[in-house]
Every structure is written in structure tokens, then in C-alpha cells.
Amino acid sequence: QVQLQESGPGLVRPSQTLSLTCTVSGGSINSDTYYWNWIRQPAGKGLEWIGRIYTSGSANYNPSLKSRVTISLDTSKNQFSVKLSSVTAADTAVYYCASQETTPFDSWGQGTLVTVSS
Amino acid sequence: SYELTQPPSVSVSPGQTANITCSGDKLGDKYACWYQQKPGQSPVLVIYDDSKRPSGIPERFSGSNSGNTATLTISGTQAMDEADYYCQAWTGITAVFGAGTKVTVL
């Protein structure tokens, strides 16, 4: 299994853009075996899928976030990233990156807390 | 939009069987997965493709999926199984999670 590690600012101002990166180790992000996903979890609440990207660069997004989300690959660094624009307090959450080889999310990062506050 | 419904909580005595349900329209036509999440930790996959167990997951975890309901069964529940459990399925190209069930081992 691959290992994943999220990184990025822990504090984002309202109306700004949240940007996070997931570094993949133990496997190539170029592999045509995996989808690379972002999932978030507000404190005390459930999991919400944000979206995923395939090695080809093709991405799928949660319809409820689609207008604000972009997921991209950086194959030179073996990383993938998420950008969420026009954030509000409702976007405060722990953000996870996860790999998907077939149907399930089989490996998860440790998560990173992003707080939206002025 | 597609929804998966789970009971908020399930209580079970040590050594007994816990059944956690997940309901959705024609869920049996999709593959269901289950994740275990303990406080402060990332989710861990415990069942995928309705009933398959990843390497390292104890045999006491099993799953089924038919009609509109998927079920995660924990047989011989242990104190270490106390956690939140989330079901998940794909509807087309969108992943959907249930709201989660807190399993308490009394």
C-alpha cells in the first residue's frame, strides 16, 4: 500500500482559496492503478468526499462542491493537490487524502486540520 | 442526490454480535464499503465490495449487501472495536458516505 501525507496552511481567511497538497510515497502517482482522492470531515461530523483525479488528469468532483474545487497532479513531485475557492467557516474541517485502487479508499493520510477564520 | 442512512448509535456487550445497517435506494446493486474510525485517527477500511476483508482485518468483521440494505457485522465484539463506522458506495462517479454509526461496547 502507498503512504500519503497532507500538507498546507492550517488557517485560511474567509473568501480566500484553500490549497492542500498530498505527497505519495511507496508508489508512483503516475500509476494507472490508482485514483487519488480528497475527503473532508468537520469536527464531530461525518465524512464528505470532495473529489478524485486519475493519472490521466481526468477529475471527478462532488456535485455540491464542483463549482469551487480543482484537483490536480504534480507528477514531478509525486503529489496531488486540491484547491477550494471562496471558503467560509463551513469549510473548516480535517482534510484527508486517500488512494483508491478499485472501489474503496484503501489508504488514507493522517489528515490535516484547516480552519477558516479571519 | 443519493443518500445512505445509518443508525446514529449501536450498543453491544463484549463478546456479542453488533449489526450496523446502511440503507440506500437499490444499494444492493452497488458495492458497499465500511470504514472504522477511532477518535483522533484516520478511517480504516474494514470491508469492501460488500463482504471482502482487507489484509489485517480480523475475521470477526463481515459484511453483506442485498436489496436496499448493507450490513456490517462484528461477531464476538471486543472493546477495541468501539469506534465510529461509516458505510460508503459509489453512485456513478460520485462517492457517498453514510453519516456514521457510533458503536459502543458496554
Side-chain angles (χ1 to χ4, degrees):
Chain A
Q1 280 188 337
V2 297
Q3 293 80 49
L4 304 103
Q5 177 69 59
E6 306 88 350
S7 60
L11 178 65
V12 181
R13 306 300 183 191
S15 80
Q16 300 301 303
T17 296
L18 178 159
S19 295
L20 296 173
T21 295
C22 182
T23 300
V24 178
S25 58
S28 172
I29 203 164
N30 267 328
S31 167
D32 59 5
T33 304
Y34 290 101
Y35 284 93
W36 307 102
N37 292 262
W38 286 98
I39 297 159
R40 70 180 183 178
Q41 184 175 36
K45 297 187 177 181
L47 300 165
E48 180 181 35
W49 180 73
I50 299 171
R52 68 179 182 180
I53 191 165
Y54 190 54
T55 183
S56 65
S58 172
N60 307 125
Y61 300 117
N62 186 323
S64 68
L65 299 170
K66 187 174 183 178
S67 64
R68 298 194 292 131
V69 176
T70 303
I71 297 176
S72 59
L73 290 171
D74 186 338
T75 56
S76 67
K77 296 181 179 179
N78 223 37
Q79 296 175 335
F80 63 106
S81 299
V82 61
K83 293 185 185 297
L84 181 66
S85 63
S86 304
V87 296
T88 69
D91 296 309
T92 294
V94 174
Y95 285 75
Y96 296 98
C97 55
S99 63
Q100 175 202 349
E101 189 170 7
T102 54
T103 48
F105 305 114
D106 39 36
S107 279
W108 297 63
Q110 66 182 30
T112 188
L113 174 63
V114 178
T115 301
V116 179
S117 175
S118 56
Chain B
S1 62
Y2 194 79
E3 293 186 358
L4 295 173
T5 301
Q6 298 181 237
S9 62
V10 167
S11 296
V12 59
S13 300
Q16 299 304 300
T17 297
N19 290 301
I20 307 159
T21 58
C22 174
S23 299
D25 185 49
K26 297 181 181 178
L27 179 57
D29 292 342
K30 310 177 191 302
Y31 279 131
C33 306
W34 291 91
Y35 303 87
Q36 176 194 68
Q37 187 180 33
K38 297 182 179 179
Q41 298 183 16
S42 302
V44 172
L45 178 68
V46 294
I47 291 289
Y48 69 101
D49 291 357
D50 297 337
S51 59
K52 297 177 181 177
R53 253 188 340 270
S55 174
I57 300 301
E59 290 184 7
R60 63 180 180 273
F61 289 90
S62 62
S64 63
N65 185 15
S66 179
N68 294 322
T69 304
T71 302
L72 173 68
T73 299
I74 312 174
S75 304
T77 306
Q78 300 183 10
M80 68 174 66
D81 300 328
E82 188 164 284
D84 294 326
Y85 291 83
Y86 295 89
C87 61
Q88 178 256 317
W90 288 91
T91 171
I93 55 174
T94 301
V96 178
F97 287 96
T101 298
K102 181 175 183 60
V103 171
T104 301
V105 183
L106 298 172

